[in-house]
Amino acid sequence: MSATRLPGTPRLLRALNDRAALELLLERGPLTRARLGELTGLSKVTASQLVERLEERGLVARVGEQAGGRGPNAQLYAVRPGSAYVVGVDVGAERVVAACADITGAVVSQVEQSTRDTDDPVGVVHTAVVQAASRAGAELDSVRRVVLGTPGLVDPATGDITFAFNLPRWHRGLLAALREDLHTPVVFENDVNLAAVAEAQSGAAQGLSDFVLVWVGAGVGLAIMLGGRLHHGSSGAAGEIGYLPVPGVPIPRDVSRRAKPAFQQLAGADAVQAVAREHGIDAPDAAGAVRAAIAAGTAGGPLLDELARRLALGVASTCVVLDPPLVVLAGEVGQAGGAALAERVQHEVAAITLVRPRVVPTGLTEEPILRGALRTALDAVRDEVFGSTVG
C-alpha cells in the first residue's frame, strides 16, 4: 500500500517549529538565530526563515547583540512582551485584586478595589480590569483573556458561577454580562483550584502531576490535580469538601440554604477559633490562633493535635479514594500552621487509613489565587497566539 501524503504537512511543521522556538525564547531568554537552530534542530536557513516569520507577526523582536567571534555581532531575539496581555482577578467578599501580565508572564501591574460599598459586580470587575490594563500600559483590546477566581461552583456547561454564598450578587448570567462589557474572553474558575495551579507552577507541588490541595480558611475547600490537569467533576462540584458528611456534627439536608455543611462546621475558621478558646488561646482570627499555638511551643501542642485530628477526617476521606502522593495545606490556617500542623495531619492520616501521603504546607505566601488565575490565562493565550503563527 502506498503512503498517502497529508495535505498541509509543511504548514503544520512550520507551526510546530514556530511554537517550539517561542517556548525556547520564553524559557531561555534572548537567543540568536543560530542558537535557536541548534536547540530546535533546524538548519540555519530554516531557523532564519522562522525568526523572520515571527518578526513579521509581531511575536518576537530584536533586543540586542551577542558579541564575540569573527564577523558582525549576532542579533539576539526575544518574545515581544506586548504581543498579548492577560488579566487575573481574585474576587473575595470584601475586595477584588486584579493583575495584568504580558505574554512572557511578567506581572506588569496590580490593583485592589473594595467591594463593600457596591452592588454592581460588572462595574467592580470592569474597573479592576481596566485599571490593571491601564497601569500596565496595555490597550484593553490587547488583553486576550480575563480569568476570575471566585468562591463557589463553576457550571461546566455554561461557565457561570453558582453557590457563591459570600458573593450574593454573583449569579447566573454574570459571565455573559462581563464578556459583553469587556469585549474579551472572560472565564470563571474556583479560587481553590487556581491556588492549586499556582502551587504546581511555583509552590510545594512543582514537578508533580498528581496531588491535592486542601484550603483551610474561612471556608474549607479541595483542589484535585490528576495527570497535570484539574479535576472538576461532572457538575463542577469536585473538591467541595466542606460538604463532606462527618461524624460528630449536624449534617444539613438542604444545601441550597446557608446552613454550614458538616466538615465546614468541624474544620472551618469559626471552628478553629472555638477550639482555640477551649485551649486558652484567644486570637482575632483562626490563623492568629494557630500562630499563637505554634509560638507557645509545647503548651500549644494540644490545639494543633486537635486541629490535625479534625482535618485528617477530610484529608483521609479524600486520600483513600484518590491515593495522591502529596497533600498541600493552604489557605490562611494551612499557611499559618506550617510544618507543625502538616506533620501532625500526615501522622493522623497514616494512623487511620491504609494510605500515607506526604502532607506539606503551601510553598506560596502571596496571592496564590491571583497567581493561578494569571497562569491559567497565560496558558490559554499562549496556545491561541503561539498556535496560530502560520497564515
Side-chain angles (χ1 to χ4, degrees), residues 282-367:
D282 194 6
D285 55 39
V290 172
R291 284 193 291 268
I294 292 174
T298 303
L303 169 57
L304 297 176
D305 291 341
E306 174 61 20
L307 180 54
R309 282 192 290 270
R310 292 176 175 224
L311 288 174
L313 292 176
V315 174
S317 298
T318 299
C319 291
V320 293
V321 175
L322 299 174
D323 195 12
L326 181 74
V327 176
V328 179
L329 294 186
E332 297 89 341
V333 173
Q335 182 178 330
L341 179 59
E343 289 169 2
R344 284 172 165 85
V345 173
Q346 177 174 312
H347 174 79
E348 187 66 19
V349 170
I352 62 176
T353 71
L354 297 176
V355 296
R356 295 176 176 271
R358 189 163 58 97
V359 182
V360 299
T362 175
L364 305 174
T365 58
E366 294 184 2
E367 305 288 4

Side-chain angles (χ1 to χ4, degrees), residues 139-165:
E139 297 292 333
L140 195 57
D141 60 6
S142 68
V143 176
R144 300 286 293 266
R145 182 166 293 239
V146 177
V147 173
L148 296 99
T150 77
L153 306 187
V154 178
D155 187 328
T158 66
D160 267 311
I161 195 80
T162 61
F163 289 96
F165 291 131

Side-chain angles (χ1 to χ4, degrees), residues 1-25:
M1 181 183 293
S2 61
T4 302
R5 185 174 181 180
L6 296 175
T9 298
R11 180 176 182 273
L12 175 61
L13 289 175
R14 286 197 299 272
L16 292 173
N17 289 337
D18 289 356
R19 177 65 186 261
L22 288 163
E23 294 289 355
L24 283 168
L25 288 170

Side-chain angles (χ1 to χ4, degrees), residues 5 67 72 75 83 91 105 158 160 208 258 268 275 325:
R5 185 174 181 180
Q75 296 288 331
S83 57
V91 180
T158 66
D160 267 311
L208 288 178
R258 293 185 177 228
V275 174

Side-chain angles (χ1 to χ4, degrees), residues 15-318:
L16 292 173
N17 289 337
D18 289 356
R19 177 65 186 261
L22 288 163
E23 294 289 355
L24 283 168
L25 288 170
L26 283 175
E27 293 171 7
R28 305 204 180 192
L31 298 170
T32 64
R33 296 187 185 201
R35 183 60 178 151
L36 265 178
E38 292 173 5
L39 292 172
T40 57
L42 300 174
S43 68
K44 290 183 179 180
V45 172
T46 303
S48 292
Q49 292 172 342
L50 177 153
V51 171
E52 290 171 4
R53 188 162 60 243
L54 296 180
E55 268 193 297
E56 289 174 1
R57 293 184 175 274
L59 295 177
V60 304
R62 303 179 192 186
V63 295
E65 297 180 343
Q66 186 179 66
R70 298 178 180 178
N73 294 338
Q75 296 288 331
L76 286 166
Y77 295 87
V79 173
R80 191 171 68 84
S83 57
Y85 292 89
V86 299
V87 172
V89 186
D90 177 5
V91 180
E94 297 185 349
R95 65 166 195 157
V96 165
V97 183
C100 183
D102 62 40
I103 201 165
T104 70
V107 179
V108 192
S109 69
Q110 182 171 321
V111 300
E112 183 173 330
Q113 184 178 351
S114 172
T115 59
R116 294 178 182 176
D117 301 322
T118 179
D119 59 359
D120 176 18
V122 173
V124 168
V125 174
H126 175 93
T127 300
V129 170
V130 169
Q131 286 184 354
S134 176
R135 292 188 186 182
E139 297 292 333
L140 195 57
D141 60 6
S142 68
V143 176
R144 300 286 293 266
R145 182 166 293 239
V146 177
V147 173
L148 296 99
T150 77
L153 306 187
V154 178
D155 187 328
T158 66
D160 267 311
I161 195 80
T162 61
F163 289 96
F165 291 131
N166 58 342
L167 299 172
R169 293 176 179 85
W170 289 63
H171 51 78
R172 290 187 183 275
L174 181 58
L175 182 62
L178 287 169
R179 288 173 173 172
E180 182 178 356
D181 176 78
L182 293 170
H183 303 289
T184 195
V186 179
V187 176
F188 286 142
E189 179 57 273
N190 175 265
D191 50 5
V192 178
N193 282 343
L194 291 178
V197 170
E199 207 74 53
Q201 177 200 359
S202 54
Q206 287 184 77
L208 288 178
S209 57
D210 295 345
F211 71 94
V212 298
L213 179 142
V214 179
W215 184 276
V216 191
V220 182
L222 174 78
I224 304 164
M225 192 75 74
L226 298 175
R229 301 182 65 178
L230 287 169
H231 176 68
H232 295 89
S234 61
S235 65
E240 290 298 323
I241 198 174
Y243 290 89
L244 184 70
V246 290
V249 291
I251 300 174
R253 300 188 65 84
D254 187 353
V255 299
S256 65
R257 299 185 180 275
R258 293 185 177 228
K260 285 186 179 178
F263 189 57
Q264 172 75 24
Q265 296 176 53
L266 194 69
D270 290 345
V272 173
Q273 280 193 275
V275 174
R277 286 191 291 269
E278 291 174 4
H279 285 81
I281 297 176
D282 194 6
D285 55 39
V290 172
R291 284 193 291 268
I294 292 174
T298 303
L303 169 57
L304 297 176
D305 291 341
E306 174 61 20
L307 180 54
R309 282 192 290 270
R310 292 176 175 224
L311 288 174
L313 292 176
V315 174
S317 298
T318 299

